[in-house]
Amino acid sequence: MIVSQQFVQLLVMVVSGIAVGFIIDSVRLIVFSTPKRSSLRKWMMVLELLTWILLGGLTYYLLFWLKDGAWRAYDPLAQIAGIFLYQTFFQTFLRFVARIIVNITWKPFWFIVRLIIAIIRQILHIFMKIGAFVLRPFVKIYSYLSYTLLKKFRYIKYNKRQQ
């Protein structure tokens, strides 16, 4: 393998490390932009673990595509260096870009989902009120009849021995 090819592959691994840092940071930003009682926040650790597993698989695919699956010791070091480069130099700018993307896409999506859920709840609430209104006379009649019948039969002794 030519040295220039190895250098290009090293740069690709550094860039993939920067991308990994950006993706993990974006996942955390998306999760923390949801409400505190959101189910996404409750499952944050699982989501982040799945993201790391997916990124590991994509990194292996990248290595397989670049080097036919053979990796050298500097490949993971280059990716870790890319993550550190992201943290050091690119995090402020790319986090700003991620916040803009989240504010443009994720927050309106979350608003629409919550609006649809609120509308469905209100419709179900109205149906329940209508059903309660329709059933109210029957409940009143039943409670009246059951009370009067129980009042009449209160003095009847059951299992009374005949003397």
Side-chain angles (χ1 to χ4, degrees):
M1 189 176 289
I2 303 171
V3 175
S4 64
Q5 286 178 334
Q6 287 182 352
F7 182 71
V8 168
Q9 292 169 355
L10 178 75
L11 287 178
V12 167
M13 291 308 292
V14 169
V15 169
S16 74
I18 292 171
V20 164
F22 175 69
I23 291 169
I24 291 297
D25 206 22
S26 297
V27 166
R28 290 177 184 162
L29 182 70
I30 288 171
V31 167
F32 285 123
S33 69
T34 59
K36 289 187 179 183
R37 290 183 283 163
S38 170
S39 60
L40 196 60
R41 274 206 185 185
K42 293 176 186 174
W43 292 92
M44 178 188 164
M45 296 299 287
V46 174
L47 180 67
E48 190 166 339
L49 180 67
L50 290 174
T51 305
W52 276 107
I53 291 171
L54 178 71
L55 290 172
L58 289 175
T59 299
Y60 180 73
Y61 177 74
L62 183 65
L63 282 172
F64 188 76
W65 182 63
L66 283 174
K67 301 179 181 185
D68 296 328
W71 64 276
R72 309 233 176 346
Y74 62 82
D75 290 332
L77 293 175
Q79 195 164 27
I80 291 171
I83 292 171
F84 285 142
L85 279 172
Y86 171 76
Q87 292 287 331
T88 306
F89 297 112
F90 302 115
Q91 186 177 21
T92 55
F93 175 70
L94 290 178
R95 191 177 276 184
F96 174 72
V97 170
R99 281 186 189 140
I100 290 174
I101 291 171
V102 164
N103 286 335
I104 290 174
T105 58
W106 183 254
K107 285 193 177 183
F109 171 75
W110 194 253
F111 174 75
I112 290 171
V113 167
R114 288 189 342 201
L115 181 69
I116 290 171
I117 289 172
I119 290 171
I120 290 172
R121 280 185 182 172
Q122 289 297 324
I123 290 171
L124 290 175
H125 185 68
I126 289 171
F127 283 148
M128 288 173 48
K129 288 284 189 182
I130 291 172
F133 181 73
V134 168
L135 291 176
R136 188 171 182 187
F138 299 110
V139 171
K140 291 277 189 183
I141 292 171
Y142 173 76
S143 65
Y144 175 75
L145 289 177
S146 65
Y147 177 73
T148 55
L149 288 176
L150 286 177
K151 190 175 178 183
K152 287 180 183 178
F153 293 123
R154 185 176 1 177
Y155 298 109
I156 296 177
K157 303 280 186 194
Y158 294 103
N159 298 328
K160 186 177 178 183
R161 286 189 184 186
Q162 299 289 333
Q163 293 184 3

